[in-house]
Every structure is written in structure tokens, then in C-alpha cells.
Amino acid sequence: QVQLQESGPGLVKPSETLSLTCTLSGGSISSYYWSWIRQPPGKGLEWIAHIYYSGSTNYNPSLKSRVSMSVDTSKNQFSLKLSSVTAADTAVYYCARTPAYYDTTGYNYYFDSWGQGTLVSVSS
Amino acid sequence: DIQMTQSPSSLSASVGDRVTITCRASQTTSGYLNWYQQKPGKAPKLLIYAASSLQSGVPSRFSGSGSGTDFTLTISSLQPEDFATYYCQQSYSTPYTFGQGTKLEIK
């Protein structure tokens, strides 16, 4: 069974860069998309970005100027960097496997396996 | 961005009740609509993908329907473990967006 685990600092200073890594166990990072999703305390879910195992990416336009994702297939890991953080970036950050379900009109992307989430607080 | 609006935002129900949650998109999402359940302090769990396909391991009391802009999640007979917050999510176009959530509480 696929398991995902986020890791990274729980506290980041304003204007600095948030860096998180997601490590996959029980499966291969190949042949799937992989996403980051965040949830501010007490609020809803926001998709941040996804990456294909080949390295192609798709970013949320609201964060595009500050976000980057990368993948390391040799380590079964993918990573998130979010620069110039502010208090508004305080959230639980989840990584998730993102299968693509194909029908005759295109692809439906959904999140079928999630990490437990890691709270990142932005504060001086 | 496609805006997803769920109704109701909160709902009180009893064990055994049939419950329906609605999700409306600001423009068509075709059938690219997914449903999740989230319990406090936990990651969301996928229930339904592609509007009506039941994720493996999810009880058959959960079902989804709809197309275009209007979708529903139905729980046929509420169980104690179903009290949680439910989210819809579209993947018709990026950025993928979620509804604001429906909190299902015990009456």
C-alpha cells in the first residue's frame, strides 16, 4: 500500500522560502502525477501544483511566481519550494498521489493517497 | 478559475438518515468531479472520482451523480463514522478547485 510522508521545517520566517519533501513508500513514483495541497487552519483546501514523474509541472496561477516542484525518481521523492512566504502561507501542507482517469473527453485528476500533512507556520 | 459551491455548508442528521450534498460549478466541469471526506486532524480521503465512480474500499452507501455543473453526493444510510466534512473538487481545468466544504454533524 502506498504511503506518503511530508518532511520539512515547521516554522519559516516571513520572506524566506518554504521547502518540503514528500517521500513515497510501498510503490513507485513512476507513471503518476504528484500534487501538493494546502489547508490553512480551520479553512478549506487549495491545490498548489502537480508534477509528473518525468518532471513536467503545472502550478496554481495564484502561486505560480513563487512556487516550484521537483522530482527525484531515484529516491522516490518529490519536493515543493514556496518563496517569499507570508503569514497567509501558514497551513497544513499535504502531498498526494494524483492518478489521471481517462474518458473519451479527457483526463480527470484526483487525489487518491495523501500524506498525513505537516503544519508549516510562517512567523518571525 | 472554476468556483465550486457546496450546499448546505453544514448539516445535522441522525444515524440511518439518507443525506444528499450538492456541489455546483461556476462553469461546466464535464464529469471531472471528485468527492472527499475529511475528519478532524486527518488528511482528506477520496470517496468518489469522475462524478460517480466509487473508490476502492469505500462503502457502497456512498454514491455520486451529476454532470456539467451540478453534482450530488449521497449517503444512503448514515453511520456514526460518516460524521465529517465533505469536499467536492473539479479537475476540468487548472487550477483544480475545491468546494468550501459541508460539515455533517450528529443531530
Side-chain angles (χ1 to χ4, degrees):
Chain A
Q1 180 170 334
V2 167
Q3 290 192 315
L4 298 163
Q5 179 68 58
E6 305 90 351
S7 59
L11 181 64
V12 181
K13 290 182 166 55
S15 79
E16 295 189 344
T17 296
L18 177 161
S19 296
L20 295 174
T21 296
C22 184
T23 301
L24 169 69
S25 58
S28 171
I29 206 161
S30 298
S31 301
Y32 282 100
Y33 288 84
W34 303 90
S35 294
W36 288 98
I37 297 150
R38 69 180 182 179
Q39 185 171 37
K43 297 189 177 180
L45 298 158
E46 180 182 31
W47 173 77
I48 300 171
H50 74 213
I51 191 166
Y52 195 45
Y53 76 99
S54 62
S56 65
T57 54
N58 197 321
Y59 300 135
N60 189 322
S62 70
L63 299 168
K64 189 172 185 176
S65 63
R66 300 194 290 129
V67 69
S68 66
M69 281 189 72
S70 60
V71 61
D72 186 336
T73 55
S74 67
K75 295 182 179 179
N76 252 9
Q77 292 178 335
F78 59 101
S79 299
L80 172 74
K81 290 188 185 299
L82 182 66
S83 64
S84 305
V85 297
T86 69
D89 295 309
T90 293
V92 175
Y93 286 75
Y94 295 101
C95 58
R97 189 175 73 172
T98 309
Y101 173 84
Y102 178 75
D103 66 15
T104 55
T105 58
Y107 289 93
N108 173 48
Y109 297 90
Y110 54 96
F111 313 113
D112 72 339
S113 295
W114 297 63
Q116 65 185 23
T118 186
L119 175 62
V120 179
S121 298
V122 179
S123 175
S124 56
Chain B
D1 299 5
I2 298 178
Q3 305 302 316
M4 309 300 293
T5 303
Q6 293 180 228
S7 60
S9 293
S10 63
L11 174 60
S12 294
S14 301
V15 172
D17 284 353
R18 180 183 179 89
V19 166
T20 297
I21 299 169
T22 297
C23 180
R24 175 163 288 175
S26 59
Q27 62 190 77
T28 186
T29 65
S30 188
Y32 301 159
L33 191 285
N34 311 303
W35 289 98
Y36 302 85
Q37 175 194 69
Q38 186 178 33
K39 296 182 179 179
K42 299 295 187 181
K45 172 187 174 183
L46 176 68
L47 299 175
I48 302 285
Y49 63 95
S52 60
S53 295
L54 189 68
Q55 172 68 353
S56 176
V58 174
S60 59
R61 64 180 179 273
F62 291 92
S63 63
S65 64
S67 64
T69 60
D70 295 313
F71 300 87
T72 59
L73 173 71
T74 299
I75 310 172
S76 61
S77 178
L78 272 175
Q79 299 301 300
E81 61 267 29
D82 300 337
F83 293 94
T85 300
Y86 293 84
Y87 293 94
C88 61
Q89 171 247 327
Q90 66 82 20
S91 68
Y92 183 75
S93 65
T94 57
Y96 308 137
T97 46
F98 293 84
Q100 82 279 14
T102 295
K103 188 173 184 178
L104 179 53
E105 298 175 305
I106 301 173
K107 184 182 287 185

